Amino acid sequence: MTGRLDGKVALITGAAKGIGRATAELFAREGAKVVALDRDEAGAHATAAACGAGSLALSCNVADKADVEKAVLRVVEAFGRVDVLVNNAGITRDISLLKMEENQWDDVIDVNLKGVFLMGQAVARVMVQKATGGVILNASSVVATYGNFGQSNYVATKTGVIGLTKVWARELGRKGVRVNAVAPGFIKTDMTAAMPADILSTMQQRTPMNRLGEPVDIARAYLFLASDEASFITGQVLGVDGGLVMGT
């Protein structure tokens, strides 16, 4: 039985750990040739090794245009195309509005929003120029829907990602490229591990499924949207939050 991504080339940003690594490993099991991209070069190589033969690891700062273009060129040189892009890389610099410094705003905007734009633009150009079509998947968040204390910067980026997703779906659909977003709830990653235990407990209590998500929960959503099973789905935001928005 063939995998749902058999022979596809999938580029995943922020692939060194958490949701990115889980997505890379699942995609590899489903037949994809995985490119694990991360600023953490050692982590990217560890993910690529876990994905098996034919995988590629790249060190890249998604907020740097030259770095992004170099990385995408390297992928094309290695595989000839890009079929799936998962814009997963993201950071937080949580602090309330009254205390936030400009650099804390800029750092998050650069990675979470500018990085999505730069990587999406570079990969979309490859997909269109080679007329191979493709899928772009962007990481939003449940907080884009209802906000979150101390996350002006993060929420702004995740709301912006939804806007980019809608625009790109309109612009690229006739060129054979589908664009969707996934909006995770609270997932067990290094990012949430840094949050106070009482906040995580509150989020779990507000989630109808009564648990935090696992990275693989998000990876499975990415897999569905990347596969041909979602061939008529574009411009959508898939919430994977255990019902958190409904429960708040």
Side-chain angles (χ1 to χ4, degrees), residues 29 49 123 196:
R29 289 197 296 272
V123 171

Side-chain angles (χ1 to χ4, degrees):
M1 182 176 179
T2 60
R4 281 177 281 182
L5 299 180
D6 225 29
K8 301 289 187 181
V9 177
L11 193 169
I12 301 163
T13 72
K17 55 190 175 183
I19 293 170
R21 176 156 183 166
T23 301
E25 293 181 357
L26 180 59
F27 278 23
R29 289 197 296 272
E30 289 288 341
K33 299 175 182 177
V34 169
V35 180
L37 186 147
D38 204 290
R39 284 190 297 183
D40 175 3
E41 186 172 3
H45 278 281
T47 296
C51 289
S55 300
L56 177 66
L58 293 175
S59 173
C60 177
N61 175 6
V62 296
D64 184 290
K65 183 178 178 67
D67 225 19
V68 167
E69 291 180 345
K70 180 181 177 182
V72 173
L73 178 60
R74 177 72 181 88
V75 177
V76 174
E77 289 174 343
F79 299 109
R81 67 187 195 281
V82 183
D83 299 301
V84 182
L85 167 64
V86 181
N87 269 318
N88 168 76
I91 64 171
T92 56
R93 298 285 186 270
D94 293 354
I95 193 165
S96 67
L97 171 64
L98 298 182
K99 297 178 180 179
M100 185 173 291
E101 300 289 342
E102 185 177 2
N103 68 295
Q104 293 169 318
W105 171 268
D106 289 343
D107 286 349
V108 176
I109 296 294
D110 280 352
V111 174
N112 296 12
L113 190 58
K114 180 182 177 182
V116 169
F117 161 70
L118 290 176
M119 188 62 68
Q121 183 184 60
V123 171
R125 283 173 173 165
V126 171
M127 291 176 173
V128 172
Q129 288 169 0
K130 293 187 173 293
T132 56
V135 178
I136 296 175
L137 302 174
N138 297 324
S140 182
S141 170
V142 67
V143 301
T145 301
Y146 67 85
N148 200 32
F149 187 93
Q151 288 195 316
S152 294
N153 45 13
Y154 188 77
V155 171
T157 64
K158 295 307 181 180
T159 304
V161 162
I162 291 176
L164 289 180
T165 299
K166 301 287 186 179
V167 173
W168 294 356
R170 288 182 179 273
E171 293 182 351
L172 301 174
R174 293 184 183 277
K175 301 179 187 299
V177 178
R178 294 189 294 106
V179 188
N180 290 293
V182 170
F186 283 79
I187 310 300
K188 292 180 183 178
T189 64
D190 289 352
M191 188 179 292
T192 54
M195 298 174 66
D198 60 328
I199 292 179
L200 290 179
S201 177
T202 298
M203 289 302 102
Q204 180 171 330
Q205 291 170 20
R206 290 180 177 177
T207 302
M209 295 299 294
N210 195 33
R211 70 173 176 90
L212 299 182
E214 300 288 345
V216 72
D217 291 322
I218 310 305
R220 288 169 179 152
Y222 282 138
L223 174 61
F224 165 67
L225 290 173
S227 74
D228 289 341
E229 295 167 12
S231 63
F232 200 54
I233 300 174
T234 194
Q236 302 304 306
V237 182
L238 176 59
V240 187
D241 59 15
L244 178 60
V245 171
M246 182 176 65
T248 53

